[in-house]
Amino acid sequence: MSSDKDRRIDKDSFRDHLSTVDKEGKRNWIFPKKPSGRYYKARNIVAVLLLLLFFSGPFITINGQPILLLNIIERKFVIFGMAFWPQDLGLLVFGALSFIIFIVLFTAIFGRLWCGWACPQTIFMEMVFRRVEYWIEGDRAQQIRLNRSEWNWNKIWRKTLKHSVFFGMAFLISNLFLAYIIGKDQLFTIITDPPSQHLAGLASITVFSGVFYGVFAFLREQVCHFICPYGRMQSVLLDNNSINVMYDYKRGEPRTKPQNRDDLGRKATLDDLGLSPETNYGDCIDCHQCVRVCPMGIDIRNGTQLECVHCTACIDACDDVMDKINKPRGLIRYSSENAIRKENGKNFTPRVAGYSSILVVLLITFFTFLSMRADTETSILRQPGTMFQKLPNNQYSNIYEVKVINKTFEPIQYEVKLLQPGGELTPLGDFSEVPAQGSTKGRLLVKLPVELLAGSQTELTFNVYANGEKVETITSGFIGPNL
Ligand code: SF4
Ligand code: SF4
């Protein structure tokens, strides 16, 4: 019979190894039991809504523009129907910073709610691919049996069917993913035109399909364990007040199998936990249902762990066990470390207050910049490599290069006027119309009489008009002789 010390060492052994790696360093394949229960039902509803949103996203438009387009190739970004250009980098930095602080704040309060309920990796893995797997290969026990069996006809057709369906779904996801990058119209052109005309597009679809297939058929929980940066940051984002999927160790310990309850060295275990010897057996019957159902292969009874994606499968599994043994539900539940210890169940801590203040400042800055954003972006720079020209009537001239970006979805009529210090401005060529979401380049000739020169460097101020409305004021330098 093992001693108390042995039992303690065994209990802590989870700290020394990864649940998905065996003693030889090979992958421990996880066969999670099919979850069922109230949280699983709720997650199903959320997943269906999110999948509907994801699949309809490229077809939803606002003012004729997609709701989300992240065209990295052409450096064009549309968010909620508003176009953003690389020139809006400052604005996007504030937007990204606000988003990061929001994530930090959200995680500090609600833990990994995002991972379990809304992350595309979890939604596709647990609600789509895993379901197909259960449908073709059966639940945990059947899957383990099938994997251990010889390559017979039953195994061949099930594995072939499963991987064919997986690849088909990965292909569909990759098409949709591409629609968010290049837009649905361009994707439709790639699909319908002869393949030889869109080799790069078809290569992208093939590569994305391969990546998604690899992620959902093989990598699976390894993405959350090792690749996702959000998962890796949990240890610094969470604190004792964060809401997590928690095992109530005060209620559950000492865990004891029903058949062992009379034989337990009860006093020693209770002393270890600092509980009174009068305390009864814990509610945990050590049935391992919460472990079997976990897609990350961990035991939530070991406490909050980096691997836990808060999928709530263990809550459902344990609630089911509690129902069967006539104990109250919630031995595993959404709670915080402090709430379980009954020390302090508050969520609005000084840390949360600090993050909230930073978030408010960033959001105010972001929306101020957004409201001030012009429909055009103009640069007026003296043409490189040119000097001033002396003209008759004591005038001097400089040539300028103008670049105009139209951030709107309509073409605009464009005009530049010299505001200060006076003088004459002549466009060299016609660049008065800028196409929708396009840009145009042109040159300007500026003539200044000598009395307006402020030495070798004179500051010029231009007003820029789009469709007759002043949209920007730009300054540039005019070089002249050293008078
Ligand atoms: S499912 Fe509940 S009772 Fe069973 S081992 Fe897990 S925590 Fe204990
Ligand atoms: S421990 Fe529970 S909540 Fe966390 S991943 Fe496993 S089953 Fe999901």
Side-chain angles (χ1 to χ4, degrees):
M1 198 176 158
S2 59
S3 68
D4 292 337
K5 194 177 165 204
D6 290 341
R7 270 200 296 273
R8 271 203 308 276
I9 289 168
D10 188 47
K11 235 178 93 192
D12 282 346
S13 69
F14 77 94
R15 298 182 197 280
D16 308 328
H17 66 270
L18 282 168
S19 54
T20 50
V21 179
D22 69 12
K23 282 182 185 153
E24 276 78 46
K26 290 193 188 131
R27 172 95 174 264
N28 233 348
W29 193 263
I30 310 289
F31 295 96
K33 194 170 179 296
K34 190 175 175 187
S36 63
R38 60 193 168 130
Y39 279 105
Y40 189 60
K41 274 190 199 137
R43 281 176 64 219
N44 265 318
I45 295 168
V46 173
V48 168
L49 292 176
L50 289 176
L51 286 170
L52 278 175
L53 191 68
F54 175 68
F55 279 90
S56 55
F59 306 96
I60 300 174
T61 55
I62 298 175
N63 297 329
Q65 296 306 313
I67 197 163
L68 182 67
L69 182 79
L70 303 172
N71 195 334
I72 303 157
I73 306 149
E74 292 176 12
R75 291 178 293 161
K76 188 175 121 191
F77 308 93
V78 181
I79 301 168
F80 292 116
M82 287 171 73
F84 292 89
W85 294 77
Q87 286 76 10
D88 293 315
L89 186 68
L91 191 62
L92 291 175
V93 165
F94 271 107
L97 271 175
S98 309
F99 185 63
I100 290 167
I101 297 289
F102 170 74
I103 290 175
V104 171
L105 180 66
F106 187 85
T107 311
I109 302 173
F110 297 108
R112 295 178 76 173
L113 202 65
W114 159 263
C115 298
W117 291 76
C119 172
Q121 166 71 18
T122 311
I123 299 270
F124 279 113
M125 185 65 246
E126 303 306 326
M127 300 299 177
V128 181
F129 284 80
R130 192 87 72 186
R131 276 165 167 255
V132 171
E133 195 164 66
Y134 288 133
W135 173 58
I136 297 173
E137 294 189 350
D139 207 343
R140 173 185 156 87
Q142 289 102 311
Q143 283 184 28
I144 294 174
R145 257 201 312 277
L146 189 73
N147 264 45
R148 284 184 186 153
S149 73
E150 295 294 316
W151 278 100
N152 52 29
W153 171 240
N154 180 44
K155 185 166 176 170
I156 290 170
W157 81 257
R158 284 183 197 276
K159 292 282 177 195
T160 310
L161 178 62
K162 180 179 95 170
H163 286 281
S164 308
V165 177
F166 275 13
F167 193 82
M169 292 195 299
F171 178 74
L172 189 66
I173 295 169
S174 81
N175 274 273
L176 264 155
F177 184 67
L178 212 59
Y180 281 102
I181 296 177
I182 59 173
K184 66 174 189 330
D185 297 333
Q186 218 173 321
L187 177 70
F188 191 68
T189 313
I190 292 176
I191 294 169
T192 49
D193 279 0
S196 57
Q197 289 179 19
H198 299 284
L199 289 178
L202 288 169
S204 307
I205 294 176
T206 312
V207 169
F208 283 139
S209 303
V211 169
F212 287 125
Y213 170 69
V215 163
F216 295 117
F218 303 105
L219 264 181
R220 301 188 158 199
E221 77 287 339
Q222 305 288 308
V223 173
C224 309
H225 288 189
F226 304 113
I227 299 173
C228 174
Y230 181 56
R232 310 303 305 161
M233 291 193 303
Q234 293 307 309
S235 51
V236 288
L237 297 179
L238 299 176
D239 63 22
N240 283 352
N241 290 300
S242 305
I243 296 173
N244 291 311
V245 172
M246 303 277 300
Y247 166 68
D248 186 344
Y249 53 89
K250 279 193 140 177
R251 189 186 136 188
E253 301 295 322
R255 67 187 75 164
T256 317
K257 291 188 189 303
Q259 63 270 31
N260 293 340
R261 292 213 159 208
D262 290 335
D263 304 322
L264 182 76
R266 193 176 353 162
K267 189 169 183 310
T269 315
L270 292 174
D271 282 347
D272 287 348
L273 291 164
L275 301 174
S276 131
E278 286 80 40
T279 309
N280 221 330
Y281 292 119
D283 280 357
C284 174
I285 57 166
D286 208 14
C287 62
H288 279 246
Q289 289 306 316
C290 52
V291 183
R292 286 193 190 106
V293 88
C294 178
M296 297 292 131
I298 58 170
D299 186 343
I300 192 65
R301 296 173 301 168
N302 293 329
T304 305
Q305 291 152 77
L306 211 70
E307 294 93 332
C308 174
V309 291
H310 292 198
C311 72
T312 70
C314 55
I315 300 184
D316 279 334
C318 190
D319 279 352
D320 190 39
V321 174
M322 293 299 116
D323 287 349
K324 284 180 183 144
I325 61 170
N326 288 323
K327 296 274 182 188
R329 288 178 167 191
L331 178 56
I332 301 174
R333 62 178 183 272
Y334 275 121
S335 189
S336 69
E337 179 67 32
N338 280 346
I340 294 230
R341 276 202 232 135
K342 305 274 192 298
E343 281 176 10
N344 167 19
K346 285 183 189 158
N347 292 115
F348 200 77
T349 58
R351 185 180 175 211
V352 169
Y355 286 151
S356 305
S357 315
I358 297 170
L359 181 63
V360 168
V361 171
L362 283 170
L363 284 176
I364 290 173
T365 314
F366 175 72
F367 283 110
T368 308
F369 279 176
L370 190 64
S371 64
M372 285 163 51
R373 196 178 77 126
D375 285 347
T376 57
E377 178 99 21
T378 309
S379 68
I380 303 177
L381 298 170
R382 224 168 37 75
Q383 186 166 312
T386 57
M387 291 297 291
F388 62 86
Q389 289 277 318
K390 187 165 186 335
L391 305 171
N393 305 328
N394 252 350
Q395 283 193 318
Y396 290 89
S397 72
N398 278 194
I399 296 176
Y400 293 84
E401 284 185 347
V402 186
K403 184 171 180 197
V404 192
I405 295 171
N406 176 2
K407 297 177 184 173
T408 71
F409 300 110
E410 305 291 336
I412 54 171
Q413 293 301 316
Y414 192 78
E415 198 185 352
V416 179
K417 289 182 184 170
L418 181 59
L419 185 70
Q420 277 177 346
E424 199 182 307
L425 180 146
T426 316
L428 302 175
D430 181 18
F431 53 96
S432 58
E433 182 169 309
V434 193
Q437 298 178 67
S439 63
T440 190
K441 279 183 184 172
R443 290 191 307 154
L444 298 171
L445 179 72
V446 175
K447 292 181 198 167
L448 292 189
V450 69
E451 60 271 19
L452 291 180
L453 295 183
S456 60
Q457 279 283 352
T458 306
E459 190 177 274
L460 303 183
T461 308
F462 301 92
N463 267 353
V464 177
Y465 297 83
N467 296 332
E469 238 180 72
K470 195 185 103 183
V471 283
E472 286 177 90
T473 300
I474 311 267
T475 55
S476 196
F478 185 98
I479 57 164
N482 242 337
L483 297 170

